[in-house]
């Protein structure tokens, strides 16, 4: 009984580090892609990328255990750490396998764990069983749990990954299993995403993905998901491959936490980039 009370407090304390602002919004960044998608530009210079991200003041950065151990020490106490517990692989896109556990997250000082889950495939039952186990393990020690859940199994083709029905199903499945923050695909417009948020009784965030071709589109997507009632975002590729990572992180933070319009954000970003060029 006591342990239960302590772990409830532990979760609140850690969530308070991840989501410190009264707005309840979450601005996460992630560098967890290398095993899943390859060692792409930005991840090949991982120490420098984390430094540039941290300088922009995100709410947390998500990574795998080896990268945390080798690269995260300078940011202890400055940026919350989210430890990724699962990954899919470049040759195996339809299944997240467990590669770390909640005890390791505790040892590394993580403020939350995050786990991937793919629904819509023949392996959905096993994926959900894994999510249920990790949710239980996290709850036992008061560790917040984030889930990157996507409708992408072998029964889902192409654009179906972004349909309101499939995204709602995926996000809701994670909420049903006790997830504190669900990250999923953006459905493409604020009206449809508001329907997802409305049907999912936990915090909902989006992944950045690769659909946005311009930074203006990226800022617009961010503005739209916040306006749709989402808790926030967990962004990776577009951010760490942007020409001025720190300026973009600072700007996105202002959109998410300070209500900046796309126009204001575009101006701020230009200003920050110009200042940097003058240095
Ligand atoms: O969480 C993510 C990958 O795990 C999202 O990253 P992207 O912004 O690169 O889609």
């Amino acid at each position: 009984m006591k342990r239960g009370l302590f772990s409830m407090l532990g979760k609140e304390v850690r969530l308070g580090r991840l989501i410190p602002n009264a707005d309840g919004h979450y601005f996460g960044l992630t560098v967890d892609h290398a095993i899943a998608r390859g060692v792409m530009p930005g991840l090949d210079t991982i120490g420098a990328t984390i430094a540039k991200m941290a300088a922009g003041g995100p709410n947390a950065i998500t990574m795998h255990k080896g990268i945390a151990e080798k690269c995260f020490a300078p940011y202890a106490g400055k940026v919350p750490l989210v430890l990724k517990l699962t990954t899919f692989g470049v040759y195996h896109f339809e299944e997240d396998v467990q590669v770390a556990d909640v005890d390791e997250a505790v040892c590394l000082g993580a403020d939350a764990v995050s786990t991937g889950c793919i629904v819509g495939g023949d392996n959905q039952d096993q994926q959900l069983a894994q999510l249920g186990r990790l949710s239980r393990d996290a709850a036992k020690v008061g560790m917040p749990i984030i889930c990157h859940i996507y409708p992408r199994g072998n029964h889902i083709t192409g654009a179906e990954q972004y349909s309101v029905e499939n995204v709602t199903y995926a996000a809701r499945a994670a909420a049903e299993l006790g997830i504190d923050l669900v990250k999923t695909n953006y459905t493409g417009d604020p009206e449809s995403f508001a329907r997802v948020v409305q049907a999912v009784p936990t915090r909902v965030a989006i992944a950045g993905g690769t659909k946005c071709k311009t930074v203006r589109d990226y800022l617009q997507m961010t503005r739209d998901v916040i306006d749709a009632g989402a808790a926030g975002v967990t962004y990776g590729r577009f951010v760490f491959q942007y020409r001025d990572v720190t300026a973009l992180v600072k700007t996105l933070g202002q959109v998410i936490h300070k209500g900046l319009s796309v126009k204001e954000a575009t101006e701020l970003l230009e200003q920050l980039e110009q200042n940097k060029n003058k240095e």
Side-chain angles (χ1 to χ4, degrees):
M1 183 60 191
K2 257 191 171 165
R3 186 183 163 111
L5 284 176
F6 284 152
S7 64
M8 276 166 63
L9 176 62
K11 187 188 272 199
E12 287 308 309
V13 168
R14 293 187 178 94
L15 275 175
R17 293 186 200 125
L18 290 178
I19 305 176
N21 299 14
D23 58 18
H25 291 161
Y26 174 73
F27 174 29
L29 294 173
T30 180
V31 288
D32 66 340
H33 312 55
I35 305 172
R37 297 183 184 276
V39 188
M40 58 188 72
L43 298 182
D44 50 356
T45 51
I46 188 69
T49 293
I50 293 173
K52 288 179 203 165
M53 286 177 155
N59 289 129
I61 308 180
T62 301
M63 63 195 75
H64 283 291
K65 55 186 171 184
I67 299 299
E69 211 185 323
K70 296 286 184 301
C71 305
F72 197 72
Y75 313 103
K78 298 184 182 125
V79 182
L81 170 66
V82 177
L83 188 74
K84 188 77 187 283
L85 300 185
T86 68
T87 186
F88 53 91
V90 280
Y91 306 110
H92 194 40
F93 243 55
E94 293 177 352
E95 182 166 76
D96 259 79
V97 296
Q98 190 179 346
V99 291
D101 60 32
V102 174
D103 287 349
E104 290 173 287
V106 172
C107 282
L108 286 163
D111 297 288
V113 291
S114 86
T115 172
C117 183
I118 308 295
V119 293
D122 288 336
N123 59 352
Q124 173 171 308
D125 295 356
Q126 294 93 311
Q127 287 286 281
L128 290 173
Q130 174 173 272
L131 185 58
R133 281 194 303 276
L134 291 171
S135 171
R136 177 200 60 199
D137 294 350
K140 272 187 193 162
V141 297
M143 183 66 80
I145 182 164
I146 296 170
C147 181
H148 304 190
I149 193 161
Y150 306 111
R152 197 175 66 207
N154 58 301
H155 296 289
I156 311 271
T157 48
E160 287 174 8
Q161 292 179 49
Y162 304 96
S163 77
V164 185
E165 293 70 25
N166 288 333
V167 173
T168 302
Y169 177 78
R172 178 61 182 252
E176 299 263 344
L177 297 183
I179 299 306
D180 299 298
L181 188 142
V182 178
K183 192 198 73 168
T184 191
N185 288 337
Y186 183 43
T187 50
D189 63 84
E191 292 73 26
S192 63
F193 204 69
R195 285 163 58 199
V196 178
V197 172
Q198 187 267 327
V200 178
T202 190
R203 301 167 190 84
V204 180
I206 60 158
T210 53
K211 283 195 164 173
C212 292
K213 298 298 171 220
T214 67
V215 73
R216 197 190 176 287
D217 289 350
Y218 210 71
L219 294 169
Q220 184 72 58
M221 175 173 76
T222 309
R223 180 71 268 146
D224 286 348
V225 289
I226 296 295
D227 291 345
V233 305
T234 298
Y235 283 165
R237 285 163 286 181
F238 193 98
V239 173
F240 63 67
Q241 294 178 344
Y242 190 68
R243 59 181 175 238
D244 186 339
V245 173
T246 304
L248 182 55
V249 174
K250 284 182 180 166
T251 303
L252 288 165
Q254 296 278 314
V255 174
I256 292 163
H257 292 301
K258 301 282 184 218
L260 251 59
S261 67
V262 174
K263 183 171 177 291
E264 290 166 330
T266 308
E267 285 165 8
L268 172 65
L269 182 61
E270 273 170 22
Q271 190 62 51
L272 290 169
E273 290 194 63
Q274 274 170 19
N275 293 349
K276 169 108 184 295
N277 291 336
K278 280 188 210 145
E279 277 170 16

